[in-house]
Amino acid sequence: MAVTTVAVQDKGALEKFLRLPYRIYRDDPNYVFPLLSELRHFLDTEKNPFFKHAAARLWLAHDDQGEV
């Protein structure tokens, strides 16, 4: 199986990135899902002061059928 990594560059890809843990851990009764609104705020370069002096790049890995 081939795996391709793609940088998150638009809102659709960001949503896939943020919702991935919900798919991975959906059957784990001990996992506490973070609030999506908090994650969006945390990763917003305009709202998080971290990004005033640093940069970050988010990545998604896709299999050969396009699944994240």
Side-chain angles (χ1 to χ4, degrees), residues 12 24 26 35 37 39 42-43 46 56-59 64:
I24 294 172
R26 69 177 165 245
L35 297 175
S37 60
L39 289 175
F42 179 76
L43 295 173
E46 299 297 317
R57 172 75 43 120
L58 306 176
W59 296 88
D64 48 2

Side-chain angles (χ1 to χ4, degrees), residues 50-68:
F50 171 78
F51 294 111
K52 287 183 180 22
H53 60 81
R57 172 75 43 120
L58 306 176
W59 296 88
L60 286 172
H62 297 269
D63 65 14
D64 48 2
Q65 272 114 38
E67 281 291 315
V68 175

Side-chain angles (χ1 to χ4, degrees), residues 5-66:
T5 55
V6 180
V8 172
Q9 296 181 345
D10 59 30
K11 287 189 178 198
L14 179 61
E15 281 302 309
K16 288 180 183 179
F17 180 86
L18 294 176
R19 293 180 184 275
L20 184 59
Y22 288 82
R23 280 191 26 224
I24 294 172
Y25 300 110
R26 69 177 165 245
D27 296 326
D28 186 346
N30 299 309
Y31 185 75
V32 177
F33 294 101
L35 297 175
L36 289 174
S37 60
E38 285 187 4
L39 289 175
R40 283 188 197 97
H41 184 84
F42 179 76
L43 295 173
D44 188 327
T45 57
E46 299 297 317
K47 295 179 181 174
N48 188 338
F50 171 78
F51 294 111
K52 287 183 180 22
H53 60 81
R57 172 75 43 120
L58 306 176
W59 296 88
L60 286 172
H62 297 269
D63 65 14
D64 48 2
Q65 272 114 38

